[in-house]
Amino acid sequence: MPWHVLCSLLIIYIMKKILLLTDKPFAQVAIDGIQKVVTDAGYELKLCEKYGTDMARVTRVAADVDALIIRSDKVTPEIMDAAPGLKIIVRAGAGYDNVDLEAATQRGICVMNTPGQNSNAVAELAFGMMVMAVRNMYNGTSGFELKGKKLGIHAYGNVGRNVARIAKGFGMEIYAFDAYCPKEAIEADGVIPVESAEALYEICNVVSIHIPATPGTRMSINYNLLNRMPKNGLIVNTARKEVINEIELVKVMEDRADLKYVTDIMPDDHAELLEKFAGRYFTTPKKMGAQTAEANINAGIAAANQIVGFFKDGCEKFRVNK
Ligand code: 3PG
């Protein structure tokens, strides 16, 4: 075989392939940015969007890739096995409950997230939903104002901090509970730390949920917590549906005709909630907290840079599996 043909084959062989696997596509401007990072590094970008339930398409396109950039896309052991060369998965976003971490670790695959990159977008949506709810879903009747109301931030991470920043502009009294964040850090932002989730729900007129879905938090927002809220309590969930005990949510909303629940993650019992609590329940049709051009650019480009750093310098900052 001629030398130049051999060289070309070698380059193709060593050129890393990165698959942007996003059922919910990024804005084109973000894809262009990711493409630039990948091309500048001498790698190739593949795209698989809007695949829905077509897992055969996913496994086919993943077969020769070295890296995955995903959003809320589920990465199962089957997908990992379909991509024998896979070395790294970067969740372009915060929550990585959609990746089977144990399976990744077993296969020697590094999993990372891109913390903070989309948090302002989620926080802004939380306020959009808050205003809509206190103005009775814009049905023309007399509602409430946020000014002077007590806002509870359930988990004080990147999104929670942005929620606190925006809440100051609304003139709200801001409280936060976070089992892992030192109370001094919360106080430094002019936010009042509380000792427990129970206390947060008891004090606050509005609670904005920002806890991740982990074995410890799944279904942890239950009747006992929600029933503690003052009259006309509003719960805003832009985190995960899994953290809500949906059966108990229905029960508490049946018992308390004053409570409202608005969410960016459609509950499994959406039809029941819609039927029973019209005007007190709202969900976006598709999770859209992080669906802004800015968040797509920030998280997508960070993910691409992290992959390049991983392959070129062995950088494992933001690795979430051991
Ligand atoms: C996250 O965990 O970063 C947010 O929930 C956004 O998820 P998305 O990328 O699926 O919109």
Side-chain angles (χ1 to χ4, degrees):
M1 185 184 298
W3 178 241
H4 69 278
V5 176
L6 194 64
C7 280
S8 311
L9 285 176
L10 197 63
I11 287 166
I12 290 166
Y13 179 71
I14 58 170
M15 186 190 237
K16 303 283 182 214
K17 288 192 176 69
I18 298 167
L19 175 62
L20 183 57
L21 181 68
T22 50
D23 184 45
K24 184 172 58 183
F26 277 138
Q28 187 56 46
V29 63
I31 299 171
D32 294 344
I34 295 167
Q35 177 74 68
K36 182 167 184 339
V37 172
V38 170
T39 310
D40 288 354
Y43 301 163
E44 181 189 334
L45 185 70
K46 294 176 76 176
L47 211 58
C48 181
E49 299 176 314
K50 294 186 187 172
Y51 52 83
T53 53
D54 189 355
M55 296 323 285
R57 179 179 158 208
V58 172
T59 49
R60 204 169 47 244
V61 77
D64 62 347
V65 305
D66 303 278
L68 285 183
I69 297 175
I70 54 159
R71 298 185 65 181
S72 292
D73 307 83
K74 268 203 169 12
V75 186
T76 58
E78 290 69 37
I79 294 177
M80 296 177 199
D81 289 339
L86 186 61
K87 292 282 172 293
I88 177 168
I89 300 166
V90 182
R91 195 291 188 226
Y96 43 87
D97 46 303
N98 47 324
V99 181
D100 188 329
L101 291 189
E102 210 179 299
T105 304
Q106 277 166 6
R107 288 158 180 78
I109 300 169
C110 172
V111 183
M112 295 184 189
N113 66 349
T114 65
Q117 301 290 349
N118 59 16
S119 47
N120 179 63
V122 179
E124 285 189 11
L125 186 78
F127 276 89
M129 296 174 80
M130 237 178 259
V131 172
M132 181 182 67
V134 295
R135 294 305 183 94
N136 300 332
M137 314 299 181
Y138 304 134
N139 71 0
T141 62
S142 184
F144 292 97
E145 295 177 25
L146 293 175
K147 187 178 178 190
K149 299 295 184 300
K150 294 181 168 70
L151 170 68
I153 302 175
H154 193 168
Y156 203 66
N158 289 309
V159 182
R161 282 183 177 79
N162 277 289
V163 167
R165 174 180 54 75
I166 299 167
K168 286 176 194 163
F170 276 90
M172 300 184 85
E173 210 176 289
I174 314 162
Y175 296 79
F177 168 67
D178 190 313
Y180 304 98
C181 180
K183 77 181 196 1
E184 294 72 23
I186 296 175
E187 279 166 348
D189 288 350
V191 174
I192 304 162
V194 297
E195 295 299 323
S196 64
E198 285 76 8
L200 191 79
Y201 285 71
E202 231 159 72
I203 295 168
C204 296
N205 309 101
V206 180
V207 172
S208 193
I209 298 171
H210 303 292
I211 51 177
T214 66
T217 64
R218 270 172 224 274
M219 303 221 290
S220 63
I221 313 294
N222 54 19
Y223 189 99
N224 173 45
L225 269 187
L226 299 170
N227 195 34
R228 288 170 188 266
M229 291 194 77
K231 192 166 164 43
N232 297 324
L234 166 64
I235 306 111
V236 181
N237 181 10
T238 53
R240 292 288 182 273
K241 69 176 177 188
E242 288 81 1
V243 302
I244 305 287
N245 183 324
E246 292 185 6
I247 292 172
E248 297 192 12
L249 171 71
V250 170
K251 175 97 181 69
V252 77
M253 286 182 74
E254 278 169 351
D255 292 355
R256 294 266 313 264
D258 59 305
L259 291 183
K260 284 183 185 157
Y261 179 67
V262 291
T263 181
D264 185 31
I265 319 96
M266 188 180 283
D268 292 334
D269 60 358
H270 165 66
E272 184 184 5
L273 284 157
L274 197 61
E275 191 199 320
K276 288 187 168 159
F277 311 118
R280 295 201 283 135
Y281 159 73
F282 171 83
T283 181
T284 51
K286 196 163 198 163
K287 182 152 74 95
M288 53 172 290
Q291 199 61 323
T292 64
E294 294 89 340
N296 291 174
I297 292 167
N298 294 344
I301 293 180
N305 278 321
Q306 285 172 217
I307 288 171
V308 174
F310 174 80
F311 283 128
K312 295 215 188 267
D313 307 318
C315 178
E316 295 198 356
K317 192 175 172 191
F318 302 123
R319 182 173 186 145
V320 295
N321 66 331
K322 296 291 159 237

